[in-house]
């Protein structure tokens, strides 16, 4: 059974470590800081098999080159970007396998940035800053239409798919979601679960596609215009 571990970094980032089985070397997703990754590897007595990069922002990439000095592995990242250290540029629809039978499909998800991609392997989606639980990333480079279509692409994944976002933003996102959908019973129940987890400083991730389709106003937007309105409101919330 696949193991996915959260490596906390900075104030609210998660770097994800994927192990196809217990004790296997890890596939590292978005290493913004190499030190917590090194500590996690030492603690688990494993190495790195490969690295996945979702987009160019520094808090997802700054630890990449330092890690490559000691772990010269394959790095998969967005083809339309020019991220130093990426050895295997990939784009929408590309597929690749790691460690024998772990196959990833790449989805282009522009919106937060133009180069943003997500990595999907059955049961697990590594979505960077495109989709957060009860929210989505800020729209720094893309258009509302692009971002809306990116979210709809992720919404088509099976409901049971675990969603691994790169930030612990859920509590703040839920407050906005409740303002946007105050009569959403599923959201109100989810808000209570999130509150209880954060009271004990426990992580709220991963979520699932099914949960997000029920509680996330951005994933539930009916059009790119509706999405744009929500995104503008959230930016000022």
């Amino acid at each position: 059974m696949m193991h996915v571990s959260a490596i906390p970094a900075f104030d609210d980032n998660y770097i994800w470590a994927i192990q196809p089985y217990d004790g296997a070397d890890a596939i590292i997703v978005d290493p913004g800081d190499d030190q917590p990754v090194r500590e996690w590897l030492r603690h688990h007595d494993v190495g790195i098999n490969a690295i996945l990069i979702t987009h160019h922002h520094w808090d997802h990439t700054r630890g990449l080159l330092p890690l490559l000095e000691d772990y010269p592995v394959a790095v998969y990242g967005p083809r339309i970007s020019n991220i130093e250290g990426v050895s295997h540029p990939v784009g929408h629809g590309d597929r690749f396998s790691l460690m024998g039978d772990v196959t990833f499909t790449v989805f282009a998800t522009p919106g937060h940035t133009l180069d943003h991609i997500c990595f999907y392997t059955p049961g697990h989606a590594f979505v960077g800053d495109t989709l957060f639980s009860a929210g989505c990333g800020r729209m720094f480079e893309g258009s509302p239409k692009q971002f809306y279509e990116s979210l709809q692409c992720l919404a088509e994944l099976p409901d049971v798919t675990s969603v691994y976002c790169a930030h612990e933003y859920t509590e703040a996102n839920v407050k906005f979601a409740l303002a946007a959908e105050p009569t959403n019973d599923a959201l109100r129940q989810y808000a209570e679960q999130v509150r209880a987890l954060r009271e004990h400083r426990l992580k709220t991730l991963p979520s699932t596609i099914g949960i997000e389709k029920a509680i996330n106003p951005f994933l539930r937007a009916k059009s790119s215009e509706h999405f744009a309105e929500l995104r503008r409101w959230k930016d000022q919330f």
Side-chain angles (χ1 to χ4, degrees):
M1 179 178 291
M2 183 176 289
H3 297 263
V4 182
S5 302
I7 304 175
F10 309 120
D11 292 332
D12 51 36
N13 281 67
Y14 290 132
I15 299 166
W16 297 103
I18 308 165
Q19 295 174 284
Y21 53 87
D22 190 30
D25 284 350
I27 301 162
I28 301 296
V29 184
D30 284 351
D33 187 353
D34 64 300
Q35 289 306 316
V37 175
R38 293 176 189 276
E39 291 170 10
W40 186 90
L41 294 170
R42 283 195 294 269
H43 180 73
H44 291 83
D45 193 25
V46 298
I48 299 177
N49 177 267
I51 296 174
L52 311 182
I53 301 291
T54 62
H55 65 293
H56 68 268
H57 282 168
W58 69 269
D59 62 321
H60 296 251
T61 61
R62 195 170 68 182
L64 174 57
L65 294 181
L67 287 174
L68 287 176
E69 291 178 4
D70 296 314
Y71 302 93
V73 298
V75 181
Y76 295 80
R79 179 177 294 130
I80 68 168
S81 199
N82 188 27
I83 301 168
E84 189 176 2
V86 169
S87 57
H88 292 65
V90 290
H92 187 74
D94 287 347
R95 301 184 71 192
F96 60 92
S97 294
L98 298 173
M99 306 184 78
D101 59 356
V102 183
T103 299
F104 289 93
T105 301
V106 178
F107 295 102
T109 54
H112 177 66
T113 63
L114 290 175
D115 68 341
H116 205 299
I117 58 176
C118 296
F119 297 92
Y120 170 73
T121 188
H124 310 270
F126 299 88
V127 299
D129 288 356
T130 293
L131 176 64
F132 296 131
S133 187
C136 70
R138 284 184 176 269
M139 192 167 58
F140 288 120
E141 298 176 8
S143 68
K145 184 175 186 294
Q146 285 177 312
F147 213 148
Y148 173 75
E149 290 176 351
S150 294
L151 292 174
Q152 293 303 303
C153 174
L154 294 177
E156 293 176 2
L157 294 173
D159 283 357
V160 296
T161 304
S162 294
V163 176
Y164 300 89
C165 322
H167 292 273
E168 183 58 72
Y169 287 164
T170 312
E171 192 169 28
N173 286 342
V174 162
K175 292 177 182 177
F176 172 77
L178 285 168
E181 296 191 7
T183 62
N184 185 328
D185 289 338
L187 174 57
R188 287 204 295 259
Q189 293 175 16
Y190 187 66
E192 286 301 308
Q193 296 170 17
V194 169
R195 181 190 58 78
L197 288 169
R198 295 309 293 161
E199 275 186 356
H200 295 90
R201 301 186 65 81
L202 298 174
K203 71 181 191 300
T204 62
L205 303 173
S207 179
T208 69
I209 291 295
I211 289 172
E212 296 309 309
K213 285 163 69 172
I215 62 94
N216 190 325
F218 294 97
L219 209 62
R220 292 161 58 82
K222 301 304 182 186
S223 66
S224 59
E225 292 78 14
H226 184 200
F227 169 83
E229 179 184 338
L230 287 169
R231 188 62 259 178
R232 284 192 297 270
W233 183 11
K234 177 64 164 63
D235 290 343
Q236 304 299 323
F237 189 75

